[in-house]
Amino acid sequence: MATYYGAAVSKDRLEQSREATQRESRSQASHVSFWSEGGPHRAQRTVHVMNRSPDPITGITLSLLLVTQQRGEDPAVLEPFQLTFPNLGPCKEMVLTEETLLSALDVSQQRPSEVQLSILNFTDGDGRTWRRADDGLEESRQIGEPDFPGTSEVTLDAPPAPKRAAMCDGGTT
């Protein structure tokens, strides 16, 4: 009887240990987010990438879809881009205006009617690669592969200077 209870306690402790390890491995990644905001004018539309952790993130790729509305009954055209920039420091937020994005993507022929964010990929301080999308955060085994077929890859050589993140590492500023 004692063996049964001992085994049950060991199994419970092992499960708790696994859960703690998983929480710890996701700790930094859970503090990284991205979103877009829009105003009525193109210059007011922005994309934000925020690292609220005390460690930098690297190898950042932001997957975007440019939506160009066609005339008549033709459906909208979706053009996938993957924008890459090298790093984002601890407790930093990068704010990209739509004009900055469009200039970097060099879409001078036909201006898109909308820029849709879809996926953020990055590497944390422990070298783990993560994928954040609308459906959540997951560790990723794919490094540098585009999220959509036919993706144009663009490196943002001179990203805007990051600013201090409003809240960093669990609520401190």
Side-chain angles (χ1 to χ4, degrees):
M1 191 66 131
T3 305
Y4 172 76
Y5 288 115
V9 168
S10 293
K11 181 180 176 188
D12 189 44
R13 285 185 184 157
L14 181 59
E15 185 62 34
Q16 287 175 351
S17 176
R18 281 187 191 139
E19 288 173 6
T21 300
Q22 187 177 32
R23 269 193 310 276
E24 186 178 321
S25 72
R26 295 173 64 89
S27 177
Q28 182 184 8
S30 68
H31 287 90
V32 177
S33 59
F34 73 112
W35 71 95
S36 64
E37 298 179 316
H41 305 290
R42 211 177 270 284
Q44 295 174 335
R45 297 180 195 163
T46 56
V47 170
H48 300 255
V49 178
M50 184 182 290
N51 176 13
R52 295 181 297 113
S53 79
D55 296 310
I57 58 172
T58 59
I60 304 161
T61 61
L62 190 59
S63 294
L64 308 164
L65 291 172
L66 301 185
V67 181
T68 306
Q69 193 61 46
Q70 300 295 305
R71 294 184 183 180
E73 294 182 22
D74 291 339
V77 173
L78 302 177
E79 189 173 356
F81 279 90
Q82 182 170 288
L83 185 65
T84 302
F85 46 102
N87 60 56
L88 185 58
C91 300
K92 296 293 183 189
E93 176 183 7
M94 184 175 300
V95 180
L96 303 160
T97 65
E98 188 168 326
E99 288 299 322
T100 301
L101 289 172
L102 295 177
S103 174
L105 301 177
D106 192 26
V107 287
S108 53
Q109 273 83 356
Q110 188 168 3
R111 303 289 283 188
S113 56
E114 184 181 357
V115 175
Q116 293 180 358
L117 287 176
S118 59
I119 299 167
L120 175 69
N121 293 290
F122 60 94
T123 302
D124 70 11
D126 292 328
R128 291 184 184 95
T129 303
W130 296 91
R131 179 182 185 275
R132 179 175 288 286
D134 288 341
D135 59 352
L137 174 68
E138 64 183 18
E139 193 166 356
S140 174
R141 301 285 179 228
Q142 298 176 346
I143 298 175
E145 292 181 26
D147 291 299
F148 304 106
T151 296
S152 298
E153 296 184 48
V154 178
T155 300
L156 190 57
D157 293 321
K163 63 181 188 174
R164 177 122 178 104
M167 293 179 66
C168 186
D169 194 24
T172 60
T173 57

